[in-house]
Amino acid sequence: MRLYGIITLGATVVIIIACVIAYCVIQRKRHFLCPRCGTRFKVSGLKSFFVSRQGTDRMLTCPHCGISIYMENIHDEDYRKELENEKRTQQTGEGGQTGDREQEEE
């Protein structure tokens, strides 16, 4: 009877450790955005795991401005796509402006 308890306890500990490791690996691909100064920064997976939460936001201190507030947890891929869209918008905006000038000159 004691053997089953030890096996259950051991399995539970292994599962918890595996979940924390998986969370830390996932958190490597995410960063936080300070709502006050707009600084984007990363924290360790364990720190993110143990801090206070509100939905997907985490209570962190900004390394730039020093405010402690709930900060948005953003996937790096989403941020990269956002930057690419901004670049495209700027390029098409610049290209459209030169094209309009050429048409006005004709």
Side-chain angles (χ1 to χ4, degrees), residues 13-83:
V13 169
V14 168
I15 290 171
I16 290 171
I17 291 171
C19 289
V20 170
I21 290 171
Y23 179 84
C24 290
V25 168
I26 291 169
Q27 198 61 34
R28 285 184 187 171
K29 297 177 183 176
R30 303 184 76 79
H31 64 276
F32 293 90
L33 173 65
C34 176
R36 182 177 180 192
C37 66
T39 300
R40 294 177 185 271
F41 62 97
K42 291 186 176 239
V43 297
S44 71
L46 284 177
K47 184 174 183 178
S48 176
F49 185 79
F50 288 110
V51 295
S52 177
R53 303 166 188 233
Q54 186 175 18
T56 59
D57 297 348
R58 306 286 191 273
M59 175 66 84
L60 295 169
T61 302
C62 177
H64 183 257
C65 66
I67 189 172
S68 289
I69 193 167
Y70 284 100
M71 300 193 188
E72 186 178 1
N73 191 354
I74 303 170
H75 196 280
D76 289 344
E77 186 68 22
D78 294 340
Y79 180 58
R80 186 184 63 75
K81 287 179 183 177
E82 182 181 320
L83 288 177

